[in-house]
Amino acid sequence: MYVYNKESSVVKKDHDERDHSDESLEYSPFSAPGEYEQFQSRHRVSGPAYNAPLMIPEKKDFPDELSIAPGELTREYLAAGTVLYKSMRYDSFDAAKALAGRKNTEEWEGQYFALDKAISEGYEMDYLDEDTGNGRAWLHTFVVTKDIPILHNTAPHHGDDSYSGGQKAAAVKRFLINNPDILVDNATAFINPGKPLMPTLSEMGVAFNGPHDMDGGREIIIGGEQLKDLNVTHSESHQYKMWERR
């Protein structure tokens, strides 16, 4: 689990309500197989900082258990037609509001979705009155409309909540920098230990598929313009009384 905001699967803040509409980023829309590879030729970087060999500081900001082995972090595509789920306190999902509310300062900033409906439903308790257990939550169903480039992380301990999101992000960044073929050399140049991971990936048009827990659950993190490649197909309200769903 990576933990970001209140309207994600792992809610901590009311991200949709923040106003950062004056912020803007330029995104590279790697929306289909073949387009991603064109990023290298379209976005050439130059200068000493980028032309120098990629190196990661020797000091690690994460324990050995979070080290990622070859084959545990791969670049794939979240295929068009994939069904995703997201629980919220709101009766609708507005991609424009989500984009306007970006801060781009947190390692795992983005909107969280689940492939398993039950995982999203498990977060509905977060939207209830904390004293009475009464309230209503909304479960939204989405379909992916375009292939979205995505990093797929299967490192087992990345689903362990005893490690912080910052430690997990540091392990991912180290692996990407030391394995530039994952993102293509020029793209990897944008990965920096000092820059937040998901905002950087979102700017590059890449989503993230990581462990939700130690039992095989998955969570999908999508940020930036890729949110526009999702369509809501169904929304349903779930009413609760004294922590029990009615």
Side-chain angles (χ1 to χ4, degrees):
M1 184 183 297
Y2 296 95
V3 181
Y4 174 55
N5 67 17
K6 196 69 180 170
E7 293 318 317
S8 305
S9 297
V10 285
V11 278
K12 292 297 176 189
K13 301 176 183 176
D14 287 325
H15 179 68
D16 288 345
E17 294 184 336
R18 293 197 295 263
D19 181 12
H20 297 275
S21 56
D22 57 335
E23 298 180 3
S24 63
L25 287 175
E26 184 174 341
Y27 289 84
S28 178
F30 306 147
S31 59
E35 292 185 5
Y36 183 89
E37 287 70 13
Q38 296 174 20
F39 177 77
Q40 186 175 14
S41 61
R42 293 201 308 266
H43 293 74
R44 296 289 180 184
V45 291
S46 60
Y50 290 109
N51 293 335
L54 288 172
M55 296 184 67
I56 190 89
E58 288 299 320
K59 182 179 180 298
K60 289 200 305 183
D61 295 324
F62 57 91
D64 289 340
E65 289 81 0
L66 291 178
S67 294
I68 300 173
E72 289 182 338
L73 185 64
T74 56
R75 178 171 61 85
E76 303 176 1
Y77 286 93
L78 185 63
T82 300
V83 175
L84 302 174
Y85 301 95
K86 182 178 181 65
S87 289
M88 299 177 65
R89 71 175 73 252
Y90 305 115
D91 61 3
S92 63
F93 176 80
D94 190 326
K97 279 187 177 181
L99 289 171
R102 292 170 298 169
K103 277 190 170 181
N104 298 317
T105 58
E106 304 289 338
E107 292 284 8
W108 295 105
E109 181 173 346
Q111 294 294 315
Y112 285 64
F113 303 84
L115 295 165
D116 184 346
K117 183 178 182 180
I119 288 178
S120 281
E121 290 179 322
Y123 289 98
E124 293 183 352
M125 298 291 180
D126 294 336
Y127 308 123
L128 308 180
D129 184 278
E130 61 182 16
D131 295 320
T132 67
N134 298 340
R136 174 183 297 177
W138 289 83
L139 179 68
H140 302 291
T141 303
F142 299 78
V143 64
V144 178
T145 61
K146 293 182 180 179
D147 291 349
I148 299 174
I150 191 167
L151 291 179
H152 188 248
N153 181 13
T154 59
H157 289 287
H158 282 235
D160 188 340
D161 282 346
S162 65
Y163 300 106
S164 72
Q167 290 174 320
K168 295 172 186 177
V172 170
K173 285 185 277 191
R174 173 180 282 265
F175 185 83
L176 290 174
I177 291 173
N178 290 341
N179 297 270
D181 56 309
I182 301 296
L183 287 175
V184 182
D185 287 348
N186 271 352
T188 304
F190 291 96
I191 302 296
N192 185 299
K195 292 174 60 178
L197 178 63
M198 272 311 304
T200 302
L201 291 176
S202 295
E203 184 176 0
M204 295 161 55
V206 180
F208 196 90
N209 179 344
H212 166 74
D213 50 43
M214 297 290 285
D215 300 317
R218 310 295 300 175
E219 58 189 9
I220 308 295
I221 312 173
I222 302 175
E225 296 298 308
Q226 293 70 49
L227 290 172
K228 297 178 181 179
D229 295 332
L230 305 177
N231 278 349
V232 178
T233 59
H234 180 70
S235 299
E236 58 186 72
S237 64
H238 296 163
Q239 191 72 34
Y240 288 82
K241 186 173 183 180
M242 297 180 64
W243 309 106
E244 291 188 4
R245 185 168 153 183
R246 301 298 183 182

